[in-house]
Amino acid sequence: MTKIFARLMKDESGATAIEYALIGTLIAVALVGTATIFGDTLRELFDNGATDVIATQVDKL
């Protein structure tokens, strides 16, 4: 029984998958947090930019 337990303690094959899952979760949380904080500002930035591009194109007609 102790040999089985010792072998399981040395086995690190699942550690990499768990680490990647934790990194992916951290990235997802960071993206959601960033979108929540800066979402309105980014929307206004792109809306204003789109309006400016459309106005410039209409002036050329």
Side-chain angles (χ1 to χ4, degrees):
M1 184 69 165
T2 58
K3 289 181 182 181
I4 294 172
F5 184 70
R7 190 178 66 196
L8 287 174
M9 290 300 292
K10 290 180 182 179
D11 185 18
E12 295 182 3
S13 61
T16 303
I18 292 171
E19 290 168 357
Y20 281 128
L22 290 172
I23 291 169
T25 302
L26 181 62
I27 291 171
V29 168
L31 288 173
V32 169
T34 302
T36 301
I37 293 171
F38 297 111
D40 292 333
T41 305
L42 287 173
R43 186 176 336 127
E44 290 175 9
L45 176 69
F46 285 112
D47 285 345
N48 292 340
T51 303
D52 293 343
V53 169
I54 292 170
T56 303
Q57 296 302 319
V58 169
D59 289 342
K60 289 182 179 180
L61 296 176

